[in-house]
Amino acid sequence: MHVRCARRLQTCAIWLVGLGVAAPAAADVLAEQPSDLAVTVYRAPYRNSGSIDLNDLEGFALVSETRTVHLPAGLSLVKFEGVADGIEPASAIVTGLPQGVIEKNRDAKLLSPSALIESALGKPVELLRSNRKTGKIERLAGTLKSDAGGVLFQTAHGIEALRCSGLPETFSFAPGGGLSAHATLSVLVQSPQALTRQVTLSYLARGFDWAADYGAILSADGSSLDLGAWVTLANSNGAGFPAARTFVVAGKLNRENGEVQPIDVGGPILANCWPRGSTSDVLMIVRVSGSRREADKAALPMAARALSLQEAAVTVTANRVQEEQLGDLKLYRVPDRTTVASRQSKQVRLMDRAQVPITTVYSADLAANETASAAAASRLIRTMNTTANHLGLPLPSGKVAVFAPHQGGTLLEHESGLRDTAVGEELEINMGTSSDVLVAVLKETSTIDPARTEMLPLVPGVTLRRVAVDAVNRVDISNARPTDVQFELRLQLPPGARVVRADHSLGAKNGRPIFRLQIPAHGTATLRYQTQHIAERVT
């Protein structure tokens, strides 16, 4: 039977299978290493200002690689070696191929000693053992019956476990194929003719994160500060991205998270041996030796999860990122190409601003109608994120360390978190509490207005009583500092409550009532306010 398949090879292949004729096998094609890289890192959505843990990075990245591919005519399996371990295959997009992608596969099993042994199951091996009398190496042919979970051989003498003879021994074998020293994405493509193309592979990958870290130095008189910031890039994948165009995205992205099969980096080879029924012997862990020594070395760098990430290096560069708009998010571009290295953190400069004018405010956030003994007020540093105040750029959330001058040097005064701050918003840095300013609260009176009492029957014998309660509260603020201070009292009102009168002007901030006072040096101030709310009791 003669079948012509000069065109439409894929359709013809299906016909051949239906006729019982083997379809042409796909040719393996290895894409060249990337000639251009771009990495856009998205911050972990639920980590605002916390530290980055290289062992548990919950952010992700969009990686874009430009590679050259040499395709033969017909069906080809193009392999992209060296992609990120945390690649999400469903997100991969390949552009530049002649007729698009027919199929995508993520090869999740890496070259490792245990993977090599698994590939040799049922195949001939050679057991190498020292002769007890002569000390010479004896070679014994056999078959591997069990893999790294407990290595068993079948030889002419029967079935035995590795290292069960009590003699120094190892084994050698010809490893099976299909293993790679690097995470690999393979795609099945159809080409009408042999050609060379430059293609772009883009995909989402886990195991990335970034953070902003600010450092502020207060002026001697406390009227201004110098503010600088670093962006820390982190990559826990076994793959690095050298000389990449790098971006970071600030803001919380609404993204669906699904399970992704982890990369199989293999494990140790266990020699399980319990001679004479004993279970008291300690397991022995061995490595493949002899002909597999070089393969073992190639596998070790890729065993990302088996290595301690605590030893990862941290590098610093002075490149300053540039802010751009990305929808409702903010994108920061690193001007120069940078290497997002494997299992490392890197810092690039975000900003430097000098002589930012600030105001120091002391505050208390109190629940209304409650009594509390004297407690230290909070100290806040405030400014506006505007060009007039030497800022005027979106500030991503992060940690801020504030230093103060002391005897010709600087000392750390406080560390706190900083929220995302847009241009034109108020920038506020929490400086902790100050015992120089104390706040005491007393509920002086609480009365019920009988004219505003309402009885509502619920069920026979049960009545809901609603009464109007008026409470008068007193707040005493003392200032031990040698200068006047600005003070703010923010109230937490119960549901339905309102402030009906006060002896100081009342304002609002973020939907909550707020009093603003100036407390004299070495002096005190008293604030009284009255609230009204409805209380309900079941009788």
Side-chain angles (χ1 to χ4, degrees):
M1 178 178 62
H2 299 282
V3 180
R4 295 180 177 270
C5 292
R7 295 180 179 179
R8 301 190 180 186
L9 295 179
Q10 186 179 1
T11 305
C12 184
I14 297 174
W15 288 346
L16 290 174
V17 170
L19 293 172
V21 180
D28 285 345
V29 175
L30 183 62
E32 294 184 1
Q33 288 302 301
S35 58
D36 188 32
L37 285 165
V39 180
T40 303
V41 183
Y42 292 78
R43 191 168 50 189
Y46 300 105
R47 183 191 54 75
N48 292 322
S49 60
S51 299
I52 287 180
D53 181 4
L54 272 173
N55 291 299
D56 186 24
L57 298 184
E58 296 183 350
F60 64 98
L62 172 64
V63 180
S64 183
E65 306 177 356
T66 300
R67 304 194 187 209
T68 300
V69 176
H70 306 283
L71 292 176
L75 204 61
S76 300
L77 186 66
V78 182
K79 295 184 177 181
F80 297 90
E81 279 194 349
V83 297
D85 309 351
I87 182 174
E88 299 184 9
S91 69
I93 300 174
V94 182
T95 58
L97 293 173
Q99 295 183 3
V101 176
I102 301 172
E103 179 181 292
K104 294 184 293 186
N105 296 283
R106 172 176 172 262
D107 301 333
K109 186 179 287 294
L110 296 181
L111 179 64
S112 66
S114 57
L116 286 170
I117 292 181
E118 184 179 355
S119 70
L121 277 177
K123 298 179 181 178
V125 298
E126 189 175 43
L127 188 62
L128 287 77
R129 178 180 299 164
S130 299
N131 186 284
R132 187 185 299 274
K133 295 182 179 180
T134 64
K136 295 182 179 180
I137 299 295
E138 294 181 346
R139 298 178 179 272
L140 186 63
T143 303
L144 187 64
K145 290 296 184 180
S146 179
D147 61 5
V151 182
L152 294 177
F153 305 97
Q154 183 172 15
T155 67
H157 303 295
I159 295 178
E160 56 182 296
L162 180 65
R163 301 282 174 87
C164 246
S165 65
L167 301 175
E169 63 186 16
T170 186
F171 61 100
S172 64
F173 56 91
L179 297 176
S180 173
H182 309 277
T184 302
L185 178 78
S186 59
V187 298
L188 192 65
V189 298
Q190 180 78 51
S191 177
Q193 60 188 12
L195 49 81
T196 297
R197 285 287 181 89
Q198 195 173 63
V199 302
T200 300
L201 168 66
S202 300
Y203 58 89
L204 297 176
R206 302 188 181 194
F208 293 87
D209 204 354
W210 72 274
D213 292 278
Y214 298 84
I217 302 178
L218 294 172
S219 62
D221 61 0
S223 64
S224 65
L225 58 78
D226 296 338
L227 185 64
W230 292 93
V231 168
T232 302
L233 303 169
N235 173 19
S236 65
N237 286 266
F241 304 91
R245 290 177 287 117
T246 307
F247 313 83
V248 296
V249 176
K252 183 176 290 187
L253 184 68
N254 185 18
R255 178 170 180 261
E256 294 293 331
N257 290 323
E259 293 295 327
V260 176
Q261 180 189 6
I263 289 288
D264 183 1
V265 297
I269 304 170
L270 302 180
N272 292 330
C273 181
W274 309 113
R276 298 181 181 177
S278 170
T279 58
S280 60
D281 293 349
V282 179
L283 293 180
M284 302 176 67
I285 299 178
V286 299
R287 292 191 179 278
V288 176
S289 59
S291 62
R292 293 312 311 155
R293 186 178 301 275
E294 295 303 320
D296 192 13
K297 291 180 180 178
L300 289 178
M302 293 307 301
R305 305 302 176 192
L307 295 177
S308 172
L309 295 179
Q310 299 295 341
E311 300 176 358
V314 177
T315 57
V316 178
T317 178
N319 293 336
R320 286 174 173 79
V321 300
Q322 300 171 349
E323 176 263 332
E324 300 176 16
Q325 195 74 26
L326 180 64
D328 290 335
L329 306 174
K330 297 296 180 183
L331 181 141
Y332 297 85
R333 177 193 301 267
V334 178
D336 299 330
R337 291 180 178 267
T338 187
T339 296
V340 185
S342 166
R343 295 185 289 276
Q344 286 191 10
S345 295
K346 165 169 284 191
Q347 290 184 318
V348 293
R349 198 63 174 165
L350 172 64
M351 57 168 283
D352 284 291
R353 296 291 188 271
Q355 297 182 339
V356 177
I358 60 172
T359 302
T360 299
V361 178
Y362 295 83
S363 72
D365 196 336
L366 303 175
N369 307 327
E370 291 188 5
T371 296
S373 57
S378 298
R379 179 184 167 206
L380 306 171
I381 290 177
R382 284 186 186 152
T383 188
M384 293 299 295
N385 186 11
T386 61
T387 54
N389 286 346
H390 304 167
L391 291 173
L393 75 164
L395 302 175
S397 64
K399 292 186 302 181
V400 57
V402 181
F403 298 83
H406 181 76
Q407 297 180 356
T410 56
L411 292 177
L412 177 66
E413 188 170 339
H414 193 72
E415 280 188 312
S416 62
L418 193 70
R419 67 176 181 85
D420 288 319
T421 307
V423 174
E425 276 194 304
E426 184 180 71
L427 174 63
E428 186 174 89
I429 301 175
N430 186 349
M431 296 294 293
T433 58
S434 172
S435 57
D436 287 345
V437 180
L438 299 179
V439 183
V441 183
L442 175 65
K443 184 166 69 172
E444 291 186 330
T445 62
S446 180
T447 59
I448 296 176
D449 186 354
R452 290 181 291 164
T453 299
E454 186 179 7
M455 307 296 288
L456 300 175
L458 296 181
V459 294
V462 179
T463 303
L464 176 66
R465 184 188 182 200
R466 303 181 65 185
V467 297
V469 181
D470 291 310
V472 176
N473 302 270
R474 171 179 170 173
V475 182
D476 293 318
I477 308 105
S478 62
N479 173 24
R481 298 186 63 81
T483 58
D484 296 355
V485 299
Q486 301 293 326
F487 179 81
E488 293 181 351
L489 173 64
R490 287 172 287 185
L491 291 180
Q492 304 172 20
L493 294 175
R498 61 190 180 96
V499 178
V500 293
R501 62 177 58 89
D503 58 7
H504 286 73
S505 60
L506 177 66
K509 183 176 182 180
N510 298 329
R512 292 175 54 189
I514 185 170
F515 294 97
R516 294 182 172 91
L517 299 82
Q518 182 166 316
I519 316 300
H522 300 295
T524 61
T526 298
L527 163 70
R528 283 185 173 86
Y529 67 93
Q530 181 180 349
T531 64
Q532 188 178 89
H533 69 278
I534 302 298
E536 296 181 345
R537 297 184 178 90
V538 177
T539 59

